[in-house]
Amino acid sequence: MEQKVTLDDVARLSGVSRSAASRALNDRPGVRSDVRERVNRIADHLGFRPNRAAKNLASGRSSVIGLVIPSDDLRVDPYGAAMTHAVGRAASQLDLGMMLHLAAEEPGDTVNHILRDGLIDGLLISSVAADKQWVDELFDSVLPTVLIGTHPTRDDVLSVDVENTESAAGAVTHLFDQGCERVGCIAGPLDRADARARLDGYRLAHDRAGRPVDEALIAHGRFSRASGLPAGAELFEKGVDGIFASNDEMAVGAILSGARSGFRVPDDVLVVGFDGTAFDEVIEPTITSVIQPFDEIGRTAVELLNKLVHGEAGLTSVSIVPPLVQGGSTTRP
């Protein structure tokens, strides 16, 4: 039977004491950088993996982070599913566990228990939940917390978000460049900061192009496919030749609405979405969209939270610029 490598083995081959090897492997102070590097290199070479329970006991941490994201069902919530998977992959790469809470209105006894008993080291919160009072209480607690998205009213929280305004303006400008003259907008719920920023981008593109904004061409949805159906129908009836939908779900709803009314995309109307959640979906035409880089967002958020947990100072919020990727919905025959 193969003999298990122990901490004593690592310490002996590294030429340090057992306690020094433990401090090096657990990233604790009191060890020179060259010694820390040597101990970790030898541990990797030997295939030594510290016992997680002992490691957590020594550091006072659980090596588990939490994710709060409102979703009734991730199977039908492409944004929530994409973000959850991205955060989970990023946590795994840092050897962290993840607890998921699909928050609706209140955190419930489970989250309160987790926070009270120290079962997690820090918390990631989706901005979809950021308008809840209990979420603000989490931001104001001693628990290290990072927001994924933009808070609707506060600017004092550490966050990771995509850039929304300029990205939305670029999407609308793309429609202008494709020859559209009457571009409508399906705005998201305006209690959401990202929805307001994307509507600002729609207006900004018109301003830069020297075109007045026709307020009648701004319809409103709820970031859902179902809400994109009537909003799309409203814009088709008003004679638009281009639609910027503030997320892909509403863009899909608009395309379905147009098909029911005899409007063809992209023959009659061009459509651009935001998020990229429907870009790989089996739908014709494929949707031109501002693609959120979910893996980059998840990795950045987890790394930022991990730094916060370990007491790093001078951390700042991060804004990531998403690319516009052209699909069939803005490619004229």
Side-chain angles (χ1 to χ4, degrees), residues 183-332:
V183 175
C185 175
I186 304 179
L190 297 185
D191 58 338
R192 291 267 300 270
D194 51 359
R196 296 197 300 269
R198 294 172 193 179
L199 179 56
D200 288 343
Y202 169 80
R203 297 182 185 280
L204 178 61
H206 281 76
D207 182 61
R208 287 175 174 169
R211 303 186 183 201
V213 174
D214 185 347
E215 298 293 334
L217 299 186
I218 299 176
H220 295 274
R222 298 296 303 174
F223 275 159
S224 66
R225 188 169 300 194
S227 69
L229 288 164
E234 176 186 340
L235 294 177
F236 287 126
E237 290 177 1
K238 294 178 179 178
V240 298
D241 56 3
I243 294 176
F244 166 63
S246 292
N247 80 339
D248 276 13
E249 287 297 287
M250 295 191 299
V252 172
I255 291 174
L256 294 175
S257 174
R260 295 175 182 177
S261 305
F263 292 94
R264 297 170 300 172
V265 176
D267 302 68
D268 304 316
V269 180
L270 305 186
V271 176
V272 178
F274 203 112
D275 286 345
T277 54
F279 190 79
D280 293 328
E281 191 170 335
V282 182
I283 184 173
E284 286 294 336
T286 56
I287 296 176
T288 297
S289 183
V290 178
I291 306 292
Q292 291 217 41
F294 288 104
D295 281 338
E296 182 180 359
I297 295 168
R299 182 177 65 255
T300 303
V302 171
E303 290 176 350
L304 186 61
L305 179 61
N306 198 42
K307 291 177 181 178
L308 191 62
V309 167
H310 285 82
E312 288 195 28
L315 300 176
T316 58
S317 295
V318 179
S319 178
I320 298 172
V321 178
L324 176 70
V325 178
Q326 185 169 356
S329 66
T330 61
T331 303
R332 294 191 185 276

Side-chain angles (χ1 to χ4, degrees), residues 99-133:
M99 286 187 176
L100 176 64
H101 182 66
L102 302 178
E105 294 298 326
E106 296 294 335
D109 292 338
T110 301
V111 170
N112 288 329
H113 172 67
I114 290 170
L115 299 179
R116 183 180 66 248
D117 294 346
L119 299 180
I120 59 175
D121 294 330
L123 196 61
L124 295 173
I125 300 178
S126 168
S127 62
V128 182
D131 62 338
K132 311 298 183 185
Q133 180 180 351

Side-chain angles (χ1 to χ4, degrees), residues 141-222:
S141 72
V142 297
L143 184 72
T145 306
V146 171
L147 178 69
I148 299 178
T150 300
H151 197 283
T153 59
R154 297 176 57 163
D155 58 7
D156 62 336
V157 297
L158 198 60
S159 66
V160 176
D161 195 11
V162 293
E163 194 291 316
N164 285 289
T165 303
E166 287 288 349
S167 301
V172 176
T173 299
H174 172 69
L175 292 172
F176 291 155
D177 291 343
Q178 297 301 104
C180 294
E181 296 293 335
R182 287 176 57 79
V183 175
C185 175
I186 304 179
L190 297 185
D191 58 338
R192 291 267 300 270
D194 51 359
R196 296 197 300 269
R198 294 172 193 179
L199 179 56
D200 288 343
Y202 169 80
R203 297 182 185 280
L204 178 61
H206 281 76
D207 182 61
R208 287 175 174 169
R211 303 186 183 201
V213 174
D214 185 347
E215 298 293 334
L217 299 186
I218 299 176
H220 295 274
R222 298 296 303 174

